[in-house]
Amino acid sequence: MKITATEIRKELKKLASIKAARLAPRFFKTGTGQYGEGDRFLGITVPTLRAVARKYRATALAQILPLLRSRFHEERLLALLLLVQKSAAGTEEEKSKIYRLYLANTKYVNNWDLVDASAAVIVGAYLAGKDKQPIYSLARSNSMWERRISIIATFHMIRNSDFRDALAISRILKNDKEDLIHKAVGWMLREVGKRCLAAEEKFLKQHYQHMPRTMLRYAIEKFPEKKRRAYLAGKA
């Protein structure tokens, strides 16, 4: 039986919570001038959406696309969870189709949770063993979300103990004006440090005195207290 976007939307409507939908805008900063301005919510938890994604894993790309372009945040997240499942289990041809669809629709991957749930698998894993130039182009994009995709995509390489692109993208983004980029870069530097502290500290020694405070705090979060204080005081 063919699964349609309409059927999935009907199920999501049944799972929606008005109370939760009213709370979400404050969490995702949807006010005027904020990064999630105008976003709308159904009020469905992430674990519930993951369960729905598992149930509808066979959904065709043509039916996922309308969900990705939805005005509702949870429909977009569900679409991305479906794409992640398909990419992780797909053939090289399927991974390529999903990768190209994703990059053609980044304007709908427009909040931090949407990026974080998708970029490492759909972009990072696909580019493993390939030319990484696409993530460098994203890092220089005018779109904050594309810049966040670029650094989060490197999480796949970090998990495989390849830190080169993560550190190179971090250099590009270390002077970014957006707090959400500072947090993402700091997070990825911390992940590098979990696997190779020397690699993270080599980067930090070169850049920490000029990094945004939030980026530095995220990067050194797991350091021993004495070392963390030294970095924050500019005396590392």
Side-chain angles (χ1 to χ4, degrees):
M1 181 178 174
K2 184 179 179 181
I3 302 163
T4 67
T6 300
E7 290 174 53
I8 295 173
R9 281 180 164 141
K10 286 179 181 177
E11 178 152 349
L12 292 180
K13 189 174 181 180
K14 293 176 184 177
L15 296 168
S17 163
I18 294 174
K19 182 179 179 181
R22 286 173 178 166
L23 295 173
R26 181 179 297 179
F27 185 70
F28 287 104
K29 307 295 185 186
T30 65
T32 302
Q34 294 182 307
Y35 59 75
E37 182 176 352
D39 207 353
R40 298 179 64 181
F41 297 85
L42 295 167
I44 306 173
T45 67
V46 174
T48 299
L49 289 172
R50 289 190 181 279
V52 174
R54 289 191 294 271
K55 179 179 178 179
Y56 292 109
R57 64 172 62 249
T59 307
L61 292 184
Q63 296 301 317
I64 295 174
L65 188 56
L67 298 172
L68 181 58
R69 293 176 174 175
S70 171
R71 68 185 186 276
F72 289 110
H73 188 100
E74 292 91 342
E75 289 189 1
R76 299 198 303 281
L77 179 53
L78 176 62
L80 292 166
L81 294 174
L82 288 167
L83 292 175
V84 164
Q85 287 179 166
K86 285 184 169 295
S87 185
T91 64
E92 186 64 20
E93 182 180 358
E94 289 166 338
K95 292 176 192 290
S96 177
K97 285 181 180 178
I98 292 166
Y99 167 79
R100 287 186 279 110
L101 182 150
Y102 185 84
L103 290 190
N105 289 277
T106 53
K107 69 178 181 179
Y108 303 103
V109 188
N110 58 353
N111 216 308
W112 58 266
D113 62 321
L114 305 180
V115 173
D116 297 357
S118 59
V121 174
I122 295 175
V123 178
Y126 174 72
L127 291 176
K130 301 182 181 69
D131 181 5
K132 306 299 191 303
Q133 185 54 44
I135 60 173
Y136 289 85
S137 296
L138 290 171
R140 295 181 173 90
S141 170
N142 290 327
S143 164
M144 174 174 67
W145 305 119
E146 290 192 343
R147 298 199 302 277
R148 187 164 175 118
I149 287 169
S150 75
I151 186 63
I152 300 300
T154 68
F155 202 178
H156 176 82
M157 297 77 157
I158 293 170
R159 284 170 173 153
N160 287 280
S161 298
D162 181 353
F163 313 126
R164 293 169 296 178
D165 295 298
L167 297 174
I169 297 294
S170 293
R171 278 190 287 273
I172 293 170
L173 296 176
K174 67 182 176 66
N175 295 317
D176 199 279
K177 66 182 186 297
E178 298 290 349
D179 187 62
L180 283 176
I181 301 301
H182 303 168
K183 291 176 179 178
V185 172
W187 173 23
M188 290 303 103
L189 290 172
R190 187 172 73 238
E191 292 296 333
V192 169
K194 286 180 183 178
R195 295 157 177 85
C196 181
L197 185 58
E200 182 189 7
E201 287 215 76
K202 181 179 179 180
F203 179 92
L204 290 176
K205 291 292 176 61
Q206 294 173 351
H207 302 291
Y208 84 97
Q209 290 183 323
H210 308 289
M211 288 167 63
R213 200 70 165 175
T214 297
M215 187 184 295
L216 178 59
R217 285 186 180 277
Y218 269 61
I220 64 175
E221 186 178 285
K222 301 298 183 182
F223 282 17
E225 182 67 13
K226 184 177 179 180
K227 182 185 285 190
R228 193 175 65 81
R229 287 186 179 276
Y231 271 101
L232 291 173
K235 298 177 181 179

